[in-house]
Amino acid sequence: MATSVTGLAHAVAPYNMSPGVTETTREVFGLHMLIFYICCAIGVVVFGAMIYSIFAHRRSVHPKPADFHESLKVEIAWTVAPFLILIAMAIPAAGTLIEMDDTSGSDLTVKITGYQWMWEYEYLDEEVSFLSRLAPESNQARQLDSGIDVTKVDNYLLDVDQPLVLPVGKKIRLLLTANDVIHSWWVPEITGKKDAIPGYVNKMWVKIDEPGVYRGQCAELCGRDHGFMPIVVKAVEPAEFEQWVASRGGKTDTQVAQAQPVASAPIEVAALGNIQLAEGDAGGDAGMSKEELVAKGEGVYKQNCAACHMPNGVGMPPAGFPSLVDAPKVKGPAEEQIMQVLKGKNAMPPFAYLSDEDIAAVITYTRNSWGNDYGVVEPAAVAAQR
Protein backbone atom coordinates (compact mmCIF):
# COMPACT_ATOMS: atom_id res chain seq x y z
CA MET A 1 0.00 0.00 0.00
CA ALA A 2 2.78 2.38 0.98
CA THR A 3 4.61 1.58 -2.25
CA SER A 4 1.47 2.25 -4.25
CA VAL A 5 0.91 5.59 -2.53
CA THR A 6 4.53 6.62 -3.06
CA GLY A 7 4.31 5.62 -6.69
CA LEU A 8 1.15 7.66 -7.10
CA ALA A 9 2.83 10.68 -5.52
CA HIS A 10 5.74 10.42 -7.94
CA ALA A 11 3.39 9.92 -10.85
CA VAL A 12 1.57 13.21 -10.14
CA ALA A 13 4.70 15.11 -9.11
CA PRO A 14 4.67 17.52 -12.11
CA TYR A 15 1.19 18.67 -11.07
CA ASN A 16 1.86 18.77 -7.37
CA MET A 17 3.88 20.72 -4.83
CA SER A 18 7.58 20.00 -4.55
CA PRO A 19 8.81 18.30 -1.35
CA GLY A 20 11.61 20.88 -1.30
CA VAL A 21 15.07 20.54 0.22
CA THR A 22 14.46 21.41 3.86
CA GLU A 23 12.88 19.60 6.76
CA THR A 24 10.19 22.28 6.93
CA THR A 25 9.13 22.02 3.30
CA ARG A 26 9.09 18.22 3.52
CA GLU A 27 6.80 18.39 6.54
CA VAL A 28 4.54 20.86 4.75
CA PHE A 29 4.49 18.57 1.73
CA GLY A 30 3.63 15.57 3.93
CA LEU A 31 0.87 17.59 5.58
CA HIS A 32 -0.44 18.64 2.20
CA MET A 33 -0.54 15.03 1.00
CA LEU A 34 -2.19 13.82 4.23
CA ILE A 35 -5.01 16.36 3.88
CA PHE A 36 -5.28 15.57 0.18
CA TYR A 37 -5.79 11.87 0.92
CA ILE A 38 -8.32 12.68 3.66
CA CYS A 39 -10.26 14.82 1.17
CA CYS A 40 -10.10 11.98 -1.37
CA ALA A 41 -11.44 9.53 1.23
CA ILE A 42 -14.29 11.92 2.10
CA GLY A 43 -15.09 12.29 -1.58
CA VAL A 44 -15.15 8.53 -2.10
CA VAL A 45 -17.47 8.00 0.90
CA VAL A 46 -19.85 10.84 0.04
CA PHE A 47 -20.10 10.21 -3.69
CA GLY A 48 -20.14 6.43 -3.12
CA ALA A 49 -23.14 6.81 -0.78
CA MET A 50 -24.87 9.07 -3.31
CA ILE A 51 -24.32 6.66 -6.21
CA TYR A 52 -25.40 3.67 -4.11
CA SER A 53 -28.55 5.45 -3.00
CA ILE A 54 -29.43 6.53 -6.52
CA PHE A 55 -29.41 2.95 -7.77
CA ALA A 56 -30.37 0.92 -4.68
CA HIS A 57 -33.17 3.19 -3.55
CA ARG A 58 -34.52 4.40 -6.86
CA ARG A 59 -38.24 5.07 -7.05
CA SER A 60 -39.03 1.90 -9.02
CA VAL A 61 -37.59 -0.22 -6.17
CA HIS A 62 -38.64 1.88 -3.17
CA PRO A 63 -41.58 4.07 -4.14
CA LYS A 64 -41.78 5.36 -0.56
CA PRO A 65 -38.52 7.14 0.42
CA ALA A 66 -36.89 6.57 3.80
CA ASP A 67 -37.57 9.26 6.41
CA PHE A 68 -34.50 10.42 8.41
CA HIS A 69 -36.21 13.52 9.78
CA GLU A 70 -35.23 14.19 13.43
CA SER A 71 -33.08 11.05 13.55
CA LEU A 72 -30.80 11.33 16.57
CA LYS A 73 -28.32 8.84 15.15
CA VAL A 74 -27.91 10.79 11.91
CA GLU A 75 -27.58 14.08 13.79
CA ILE A 76 -24.81 12.61 15.97
CA ALA A 77 -23.05 11.01 13.02
CA TRP A 78 -22.79 14.13 10.86
CA THR A 79 -21.70 16.19 13.86
CA VAL A 80 -19.07 13.83 15.24
CA ALA A 81 -17.57 12.71 11.91
CA PRO A 82 -16.49 16.22 10.71
CA PHE A 83 -15.19 16.99 14.21
CA LEU A 84 -12.97 13.89 14.18
CA ILE A 85 -11.76 14.72 10.67
CA LEU A 86 -10.83 18.26 11.70
CA ILE A 87 -8.96 16.94 14.76
CA ALA A 88 -7.07 14.48 12.56
CA MET A 89 -5.92 17.36 10.36
CA ALA A 90 -5.36 19.98 13.09
CA ILE A 91 -2.99 17.98 15.31
CA PRO A 92 -0.20 17.45 12.73
CA ALA A 93 -0.81 20.93 11.25
CA ALA A 94 -0.40 22.63 14.64
CA GLY A 95 2.81 20.70 15.30
CA THR A 96 4.26 21.77 11.95
CA LEU A 97 3.30 25.43 12.47
CA ILE A 98 4.86 25.50 15.95
CA GLU A 99 8.07 23.99 14.60
CA MET A 100 8.16 26.44 11.69
CA ASP A 101 7.95 29.37 14.11
CA ASP A 102 10.77 28.18 16.39
CA THR A 103 13.80 30.23 15.33
CA SER A 104 15.80 29.53 18.49
CA GLY A 105 19.26 28.02 18.26
CA SER A 106 20.03 29.52 14.87
CA ASP A 107 23.59 29.57 13.52
CA LEU A 108 23.13 32.59 11.27
CA THR A 109 20.75 35.55 11.06
CA VAL A 110 19.85 37.35 7.85
CA LYS A 111 17.65 40.43 7.81
CA ILE A 112 15.61 40.77 4.61
CA THR A 113 14.12 44.12 3.68
CA GLY A 114 11.70 44.52 0.79
CA TYR A 115 11.84 47.62 -1.39
CA GLN A 116 9.96 48.56 -4.54
CA TRP A 117 11.30 46.51 -6.28
CA MET A 118 14.29 44.73 -4.89
CA TRP A 119 15.49 42.96 -1.74
CA GLU A 120 18.17 43.97 0.68
CA TYR A 121 20.01 41.20 2.52
CA GLU A 122 21.97 41.91 5.70
CA TYR A 123 24.02 39.20 7.42
CA LEU A 124 23.83 40.73 10.90
CA ASP A 125 26.78 38.96 12.51
CA GLU A 126 28.97 38.74 9.41
CA GLU A 127 28.41 42.46 8.62
CA VAL A 128 27.72 41.81 4.95
CA SER A 129 24.87 43.50 3.11
CA PHE A 130 23.81 44.09 -0.46
CA LEU A 131 20.82 44.78 -2.67
CA SER A 132 19.44 42.07 -4.94
CA ARG A 133 17.70 43.31 -8.09
CA LEU A 134 16.25 41.77 -11.23
CA ALA A 135 19.10 40.54 -13.44
CA PRO A 136 20.17 43.11 -16.09
CA GLU A 137 19.46 40.63 -18.91
CA SER A 138 15.83 40.20 -17.83
CA ASN A 139 15.43 43.88 -17.03
CA GLN A 140 16.66 44.86 -20.48
CA ALA A 141 14.52 42.26 -22.23
CA ARG A 142 11.32 43.35 -20.44
CA GLN A 143 11.55 46.94 -21.67
CA LEU A 144 9.08 48.01 -24.34
CA ASP A 145 10.49 47.68 -27.85
CA SER A 146 13.67 46.07 -26.53
CA GLY A 147 13.70 43.75 -29.53
CA ILE A 148 14.94 40.90 -27.33
CA ASP A 149 13.31 37.47 -27.56
CA VAL A 150 12.55 36.73 -23.92
CA THR A 151 12.41 33.01 -24.60
CA LYS A 152 16.16 33.17 -25.23
CA VAL A 153 16.92 34.87 -21.90
CA ASP A 154 17.96 32.32 -19.26
CA ASN A 155 15.60 32.31 -16.28
CA TYR A 156 13.69 35.30 -17.63
CA LEU A 157 12.30 37.37 -14.72
CA LEU A 158 13.55 34.69 -12.31
CA ASP A 159 17.18 35.73 -12.00
CA VAL A 160 18.90 38.44 -9.96
CA ASP A 161 22.16 40.31 -10.07
CA GLN A 162 23.21 39.14 -6.58
CA PRO A 163 21.70 35.98 -5.04
CA LEU A 164 21.27 35.36 -1.34
CA VAL A 165 24.09 32.96 -0.43
CA LEU A 166 23.41 30.56 2.46
CA PRO A 167 25.36 27.61 3.90
CA VAL A 168 23.79 24.14 3.86
CA GLY A 169 23.32 22.23 7.10
CA LYS A 170 22.99 25.40 9.20
CA LYS A 171 19.87 26.73 10.89
CA ILE A 172 19.36 30.21 9.50
CA ARG A 173 17.02 32.72 11.03
CA LEU A 174 15.38 35.10 8.55
CA LEU A 175 14.02 38.44 9.78
CA LEU A 176 11.67 40.09 7.32
CA THR A 177 10.54 43.68 7.06
CA ALA A 178 9.87 46.27 4.34
CA ASN A 179 10.69 49.88 3.67
CA ASP A 180 7.68 51.00 1.63
CA VAL A 181 4.78 48.59 1.06
CA ILE A 182 3.96 45.03 2.07
CA HIS A 183 6.07 42.42 0.30
CA SER A 184 6.19 38.67 0.81
CA TRP A 185 9.35 36.57 0.61
CA TRP A 186 8.80 33.07 -0.76
CA VAL A 187 11.13 30.43 -2.13
CA PRO A 188 8.89 27.33 -2.28
CA GLU A 189 11.68 24.75 -2.24
CA ILE A 190 13.20 25.95 1.03
CA THR A 191 10.44 27.55 3.07
CA GLY A 192 6.89 28.83 3.29
CA LYS A 193 6.13 32.45 2.46
CA LYS A 194 6.22 35.21 5.04
CA ASP A 195 5.07 38.82 4.73
CA ALA A 196 7.59 41.68 4.94
CA ILE A 197 5.66 44.57 6.52
CA PRO A 198 6.92 48.16 7.05
CA GLY A 199 7.58 48.88 10.72
CA TYR A 200 7.24 45.25 11.74
CA VAL A 201 9.63 42.30 11.76
CA ASN A 202 8.46 38.79 10.94
CA LYS A 203 10.70 35.80 11.40
CA MET A 204 11.15 32.29 10.08
CA TRP A 205 14.00 29.86 9.63
CA VAL A 206 15.47 27.51 7.07
CA LYS A 207 17.96 24.68 7.14
CA ILE A 208 18.85 23.67 3.61
CA ASP A 209 20.04 20.10 3.09
CA GLU A 210 21.27 20.20 -0.49
CA PRO A 211 23.54 22.69 -2.29
CA GLY A 212 21.89 24.30 -5.29
CA VAL A 213 20.13 27.35 -6.65
CA TYR A 214 16.54 27.86 -5.55
CA ARG A 215 14.24 30.49 -7.02
CA GLY A 216 11.19 32.34 -5.80
CA GLN A 217 9.36 35.65 -6.15
CA CYS A 218 7.62 38.26 -4.08
CA ALA A 219 4.26 36.66 -3.24
CA GLU A 220 2.46 39.92 -2.45
CA LEU A 221 0.97 42.26 -5.03
CA CYS A 222 3.28 45.09 -3.96
CA GLY A 223 3.07 47.54 -6.83
CA ARG A 224 3.43 48.23 -10.51
CA ASP A 225 6.67 46.28 -10.92
CA HIS A 226 5.67 43.52 -8.53
CA GLY A 227 6.54 40.86 -11.06
CA PHE A 228 10.10 42.09 -11.37
CA MET A 229 11.49 41.33 -7.92
CA PRO A 230 12.53 37.67 -8.01
CA ILE A 231 14.41 35.87 -5.26
CA VAL A 232 17.38 33.60 -5.82
CA VAL A 233 19.00 31.60 -3.02
CA LYS A 234 22.34 29.94 -3.66
CA ALA A 235 23.00 27.18 -1.11
CA VAL A 236 26.66 26.25 -0.73
CA GLU A 237 28.84 24.18 1.55
CA PRO A 238 29.89 25.96 4.79
CA ALA A 239 33.51 26.27 3.67
CA GLU A 240 32.46 27.93 0.42
CA PHE A 241 30.16 30.22 2.36
CA GLU A 242 33.06 31.29 4.56
CA GLN A 243 35.09 32.11 1.46
CA TRP A 244 32.19 34.11 0.05
CA VAL A 245 31.82 36.09 3.30
CA ALA A 246 35.54 36.83 3.28
CA SER A 247 35.36 37.95 -0.35
CA ARG A 248 32.64 40.45 0.62
CA GLY A 249 34.78 41.86 3.42
CA GLY A 250 32.65 40.32 6.16
CA LYS A 251 33.49 38.44 9.33
CA THR A 252 34.05 34.69 9.22
CA ASP A 253 32.64 32.29 11.81
CA THR A 254 35.84 32.49 13.83
CA GLN A 255 35.78 36.27 13.90
CA VAL A 256 32.09 36.31 14.80
CA ALA A 257 32.70 33.84 17.62
CA GLN A 258 35.55 35.98 18.98
CA ALA A 259 33.42 39.11 18.81
CA GLN A 260 30.40 37.42 20.34
CA PRO A 261 31.49 34.61 22.69
CA VAL A 262 27.95 34.37 24.01
CA ALA A 263 25.27 32.96 21.73
CA SER A 264 23.40 35.65 19.90
CA ALA A 265 20.44 36.91 21.86
CA PRO A 266 16.98 37.19 20.33
CA ILE A 267 16.65 40.36 18.31
CA GLU A 268 13.90 42.61 19.57
CA VAL A 269 11.39 43.88 17.08
CA ALA A 270 11.77 47.41 18.37
CA ALA A 271 15.48 47.35 17.66
CA LEU A 272 14.85 46.64 14.00
CA GLY A 273 11.85 48.89 13.54
CA ASN A 274 14.06 51.78 12.49
CA ILE A 275 15.20 50.45 9.13
CA GLN A 276 18.59 51.67 8.01
CA LEU A 277 20.66 50.85 5.00
CA ALA A 278 24.07 49.30 5.38
CA GLU A 279 27.07 51.55 5.50
CA GLY A 280 28.27 50.21 2.21
CA ASP A 281 25.16 51.49 0.47
CA ALA A 282 25.15 54.92 2.04
CA GLY A 283 28.65 56.09 1.28
CA GLY A 284 29.84 58.07 -1.69
CA ASP A 285 32.95 58.52 -3.75
CA ALA A 286 33.60 62.11 -4.69
CA GLY A 287 36.57 61.25 -6.88
CA MET A 288 34.67 60.24 -10.03
CA SER A 289 34.97 62.11 -13.28
CA LYS A 290 32.02 63.21 -15.38
CA GLU A 291 32.59 60.31 -17.77
CA GLU A 292 32.67 57.82 -14.91
CA LEU A 293 29.49 59.25 -13.40
CA VAL A 294 27.68 59.10 -16.75
CA ALA A 295 28.82 55.53 -17.36
CA LYS A 296 27.72 54.41 -13.89
CA GLY A 297 24.54 56.45 -14.11
CA GLU A 298 23.48 54.68 -17.30
CA GLY A 299 23.38 51.38 -15.44
CA VAL A 300 21.49 52.89 -12.51
CA TYR A 301 19.04 54.50 -14.92
CA LYS A 302 18.35 51.26 -16.80
CA GLN A 303 17.85 49.42 -13.53
CA ASN A 304 15.57 51.92 -11.82
CA CYS A 305 14.23 54.58 -14.21
CA ALA A 306 13.98 53.24 -17.76
CA ALA A 307 10.73 51.36 -17.15
CA CYS A 308 8.86 54.67 -16.64
CA HIS A 309 10.98 57.28 -18.41
CA MET A 310 11.94 54.87 -21.21
CA PRO A 311 15.51 53.97 -22.26
CA ASN A 312 15.65 57.02 -24.59
CA GLY A 313 14.36 59.37 -21.88
CA VAL A 314 11.18 60.39 -23.71
CA GLY A 315 8.98 59.10 -20.90
CA MET A 316 5.32 58.18 -21.14
CA PRO A 317 3.45 61.52 -20.65
CA PRO A 318 -0.06 60.00 -21.00
CA ALA A 319 0.76 57.68 -18.10
CA GLY A 320 2.17 60.51 -16.00
CA PHE A 321 5.87 59.81 -16.59
CA PRO A 322 7.35 62.97 -18.17
CA SER A 323 10.11 63.18 -20.74
CA LEU A 324 13.59 63.96 -19.41
CA VAL A 325 14.77 65.40 -22.73
CA ASP A 326 15.45 69.11 -22.18
CA ALA A 327 13.04 68.91 -19.24
CA PRO A 328 12.76 71.77 -16.71
CA LYS A 329 13.59 69.42 -13.81
CA VAL A 330 16.76 68.22 -15.58
CA LYS A 331 18.07 71.59 -16.65
CA GLY A 332 16.96 73.40 -13.49
CA PRO A 333 18.75 73.60 -10.13
CA ALA A 334 20.39 70.30 -9.23
CA GLU A 335 19.11 70.56 -5.67
CA GLU A 336 15.51 70.19 -6.83
CA GLN A 337 16.28 67.11 -8.90
CA ILE A 338 18.23 65.54 -6.03
CA MET A 339 15.32 66.10 -3.65
CA GLN A 340 12.87 64.54 -6.09
CA VAL A 341 15.05 61.46 -6.49
CA LEU A 342 15.46 61.19 -2.71
CA LYS A 343 11.86 61.85 -1.75
CA GLY A 344 9.92 60.85 -4.85
CA LYS A 345 6.94 62.71 -6.31
CA ASN A 346 3.48 61.58 -7.40
CA ALA A 347 3.91 58.13 -9.03
CA MET A 348 7.71 58.26 -8.67
CA PRO A 349 8.82 56.34 -5.54
CA PRO A 350 11.65 57.62 -3.30
CA PHE A 351 15.10 56.30 -4.14
CA ALA A 352 16.83 57.27 -0.90
CA TYR A 353 18.04 53.70 -0.47
CA LEU A 354 20.45 54.21 -3.36
CA SER A 355 23.95 55.35 -2.46
CA ASP A 356 25.01 58.97 -2.86
CA GLU A 357 27.24 57.83 -5.69
CA ASP A 358 24.41 56.05 -7.51
CA ILE A 359 22.07 59.04 -7.19
CA ALA A 360 24.77 61.50 -8.31
CA ALA A 361 25.59 59.21 -11.23
CA VAL A 362 22.02 58.78 -12.46
CA ILE A 363 21.29 62.51 -12.19
CA THR A 364 24.50 63.30 -14.05
CA TYR A 365 23.49 60.76 -16.66
CA THR A 366 20.07 62.36 -17.19
CA ARG A 367 21.71 65.79 -17.43
CA ASN A 368 24.15 64.63 -20.09
CA SER A 369 22.15 62.24 -22.28
CA TRP A 370 19.73 62.49 -25.20
CA GLY A 371 21.08 65.90 -26.17
CA ASN A 372 21.04 67.29 -22.64
CA ASP A 373 24.12 69.14 -21.40
CA TYR A 374 23.43 70.46 -17.93
CA GLY A 375 26.47 69.74 -15.78
CA VAL A 376 27.64 67.27 -13.17
CA VAL A 377 26.25 66.37 -9.74
CA GLU A 378 28.78 65.16 -7.18
CA PRO A 379 27.98 62.53 -4.50
CA ALA A 380 28.78 65.16 -1.86
CA ALA A 381 25.86 67.27 -3.12
CA VAL A 382 23.53 64.32 -2.61
CA ALA A 383 24.93 63.62 0.84
CA ALA A 384 24.35 67.25 1.82
CA GLN A 385 20.63 66.99 1.04
CA ARG A 386 19.86 63.73 2.80
Side-chain angles (χ1 to χ4, degrees), residues 70-118:
E70 295 184 353
S71 170
L72 180 60
K73 293 181 180 178
V74 172
E75 294 284 350
I76 293 175
W78 69 33
T79 300
V80 172
F83 177 76
L84 294 177
I85 293 171
L86 289 176
I87 292 296
M89 292 190 295
I91 290 176
T96 300
L97 288 174
I98 291 172
E99 186 175 347
M100 290 173 67
D101 198 50
D102 181 12
T103 61
S104 61
S106 57
D107 302 304
L108 178 70
T109 299
V110 179
K111 178 187 170 190
I112 302 173
T113 305
Y115 294 89
Q116 288 181 316
W117 288 270
M118 68 197 76

Side-chain angles (χ1 to χ4, degrees), residues 64-209:
K64 184 180 179 180
D67 184 5
F68 297 108
H69 185 62
E70 295 184 353
S71 170
L72 180 60
K73 293 181 180 178
V74 172
E75 294 284 350
I76 293 175
W78 69 33
T79 300
V80 172
F83 177 76
L84 294 177
I85 293 171
L86 289 176
I87 292 296
M89 292 190 295
I91 290 176
T96 300
L97 288 174
I98 291 172
E99 186 175 347
M100 290 173 67
D101 198 50
D102 181 12
T103 61
S104 61
S106 57
D107 302 304
L108 178 70
T109 299
V110 179
K111 178 187 170 190
I112 302 173
T113 305
Y115 294 89
Q116 288 181 316
W117 288 270
M118 68 197 76
W119 300 97
E120 183 188 26
Y121 299 114
E122 297 176 68
Y123 298 72
L124 298 185
D125 292 331
E126 288 71 16
E127 299 183 0
V128 171
S129 67
F130 57 88
L131 294 171
S132 180
R133 302 181 175 90
L134 179 66
E137 295 79 11
S138 289
N139 194 39
Q140 186 178 0
R142 77 180 181 90
Q143 306 298 330
L144 291 175
D145 302 324
S146 67
I148 299 175
D149 182 358
V150 298
T151 62
K152 296 182 179 178
V153 178
D154 291 338
N155 299 307
Y156 177 60
L157 298 184
L158 292 175
D159 211 354
V160 298
D161 56 354
Q162 298 190 86
L164 174 65
V165 179
L166 297 177
V168 298
K170 302 281 188 180
K171 184 172 183 177
I172 302 159
R173 177 170 53 177
L174 303 177
L175 306 175
L176 298 110
T177 188
N179 188 57
D180 35 46
V181 299
I182 298 176
H183 301 273
S184 188
W185 200 87
W186 189 25
V187 181
E189 289 182 290
I190 65 171
T191 183
K193 67 178 181 179
K194 184 76 79 173
D195 283 348
I197 304 170
Y200 188 81
V201 176
N202 272 327
K203 61 181 181 178
M204 62 180 178
W205 65 273
V206 299
K207 187 176 180 181
I208 305 172
D209 296 334

